[in-house]
Amino acid sequence: MRIGLVVDSACDLPKSFIDEHRVIILPVTIRIENESFIDRRDPTETIAFYRSHIGEKGHDAESAPFSVEQIQDLFLSRVVIEFDYAICETVTRLRSPIFENATKASFAILRGYKEVRRQHGVEGPFALRVINSKTLFCGQGVLAAETIRMIQEGVHVNEIRTRIEKLSEDVYAYLVPRDLYYIRARAQKKGEKSVGLIGAALGTMLDIKPIIRAYHEETGPVSKARGFEQACEKLLQYAVRRIREGLLAPTICISYGGDPEEVRQLPGYAELMAEAEAHGVQVLLSVMSVTAGVNIGPGGLCLGLVARPHEFDD
């Protein structure tokens, strides 16, 4: 059985990983004023877009995920031909309609996939399961990497689906923004009140950077540090401790709203890589998706892992 993986473009993974494992992307269109950018997870295009567009205007960006009809077309034109069973993992349903759209599309293709497969000389039935990751960005990346690992090991598709749905309850995704004013402006546009004007002003004045956690479909600050590099170091040290205590999936995903080479220079990164190698954990470093970047701001950092329930420890 040919098992494939579909994710939306908010899922932070390296382009090399996506290409090697034939991961199919559901693109998201980002609109800023009169310009549009289709986020297909191409790192060169993404970095160029960060440099030319996000900055001052990114907090006004609008995202437009694929409609039911567009997802249905993608499923019928590629997914039902290339695979016999596909798992589609989406960003948390509370942040985007992608899960609902993909679910509706999955039902719609049941009426038409047989003829498409017949025309392409593909025999046998096709099945598709849409899973709400209950997380976002690097959190999605960790679940996707675990899905690919199990596919490669020949795990039965029902076991893969059950495990991913269970692990979605234990995914921790963390964000470190550079600019609190950007975060506040973006939150206001989306009707959130997580960062107030006074907090943003004081944070900028004192160079205080929050560490924001996304867990169980809820997002909020769990720690802070003076300076972006110090906040990133604190987050990377936390990840080292999680590795030592044992992860539930052997992958950590990190994404950055800019050139990933800058992440390798951060304090704590070398220690994380050494600890990961010692424990057989892969670290996947990528350019942050534009979808994530317009929410966090340019130059932000995201980290995702799967671990037993715990609180963030400084």
Side-chain angles (χ1 to χ4, degrees):
M1 177 183 288
R2 301 172 302 163
I3 305 173
L5 176 64
V6 181
V7 298
D8 57 70
S9 58
C11 179
D12 280 341
L13 286 169
K15 182 68 161 55
S16 58
F17 185 95
I18 291 170
D19 292 344
E20 177 184 354
H21 301 291
R22 298 172 56 209
V23 178
I24 293 179
I25 302 295
L26 294 176
V28 173
T29 300
I30 305 296
R31 299 191 180 97
I32 298 180
E33 293 185 336
N34 296 322
E35 298 190 54
S36 296
F37 176 85
I38 300 178
D39 188 1
R40 293 190 175 94
R41 301 298 298 137
D42 182 284
T44 303
E45 293 179 358
T46 301
I47 290 177
F49 189 81
Y50 277 133
R51 291 171 177 167
S52 61
H53 288 80
I54 291 187
E56 296 180 356
K57 300 178 181 179
H59 53 76
D60 286 326
E62 299 282 353
S63 61
F66 263 24
S67 66
V68 174
E69 293 73 21
Q70 287 174 310
I71 296 176
Q72 182 178 338
D73 288 344
L74 178 63
F75 284 166
L76 289 175
S77 64
R78 284 197 60 189
V79 180
V80 305
I81 299 167
E82 295 181 22
F83 306 110
D84 303 313
Y85 194 114
I87 297 172
C88 178
E89 298 169 5
T90 75
V91 66
T92 169
R93 65 187 301 178
L94 298 184
R95 293 272 177 170
S96 169
I98 295 177
F99 173 80
E100 300 296 342
N101 291 354
T103 299
K104 291 176 182 177
S106 70
F107 293 142
I109 68 168
L110 294 178
R111 297 188 295 270
Y113 84 80
K114 292 181 180 179
E115 178 60 21
V116 174
R117 283 168 69 88
R118 186 190 67 77
Q119 292 175 359
H120 287 81
V122 181
E123 299 180 354
F126 171 82
L128 184 148
R129 181 62 176 250
V130 182
I131 298 176
N132 171 25
S133 73
K134 302 179 183 177
T135 185
L136 66 178
F137 315 150
C138 281
Q140 293 175 260
V142 173
L143 287 181
E146 181 64 5
T147 302
I148 292 298
R149 185 188 68 80
M150 288 188 286
I151 291 174
Q152 290 183 314
E153 290 187 355
V155 177
H156 191 277
V157 68
N158 289 337
E159 293 181 42
I160 295 175
R161 175 182 56 78
T162 300
R163 176 165 165 78
I164 293 302
E165 289 178 338
K166 185 176 186 301
L167 287 180
S168 70
E169 299 288 342
D170 297 307
V171 178
Y172 293 79
Y174 293 93
L175 313 170
V176 181
R178 280 191 185 270
D179 185 348
L180 292 187
Y181 278 114
Y182 184 102
I183 286 284
R184 176 184 175 273
R186 184 66 183 172
Q188 281 189 323
K189 183 173 182 62
K190 301 186 73 171
E192 300 173 0
K193 300 179 180 179
S194 56
V195 181
L197 176 60
I198 295 176
L202 288 176
T204 302
M205 186 183 303
L206 301 173
D207 198 25
I208 301 298
K209 307 300 181 187
I211 297 175
I212 301 168
R213 182 184 70 184
Y215 177 63
H216 281 185
E217 300 190 271
E218 295 184 357
T219 305
V222 292
S223 188
K224 59 186 177 182
R226 177 163 294 184
F228 177 76
E229 289 195 355
Q230 287 73 19
C232 291
E233 182 178 20
K234 180 181 284 191
L235 179 57
L236 295 172
Q237 289 174 342
Y238 153 86
V240 167
R241 292 192 294 275
R242 296 284 77 75
I243 291 175
R244 290 171 179 167
E245 293 182 10
L247 298 174
L248 296 181
T251 301
I252 288 178
C253 286
I254 300 173
S255 66
Y256 179 67
D259 187 345
E261 287 301 316
E262 296 179 25
V263 177
R264 294 187 170 92
Q265 308 305 316
L266 288 173
Y269 184 80
E271 181 185 359
L272 172 64
M273 293 302 295
E275 201 68 33
E277 182 177 3
H279 288 80
V281 173
Q282 68 172 338
V283 177
L284 298 177
L285 175 61
S286 66
V287 177
M288 184 179 289
S289 69
V290 171
T291 309
V294 297
N295 284 282
I296 301 169
L301 184 83
C302 182
L303 183 147
L305 51 79
V306 189
R308 296 174 183 84
H310 64 276
E311 293 300 324
F312 188 92
D313 50 341
D314 292 339

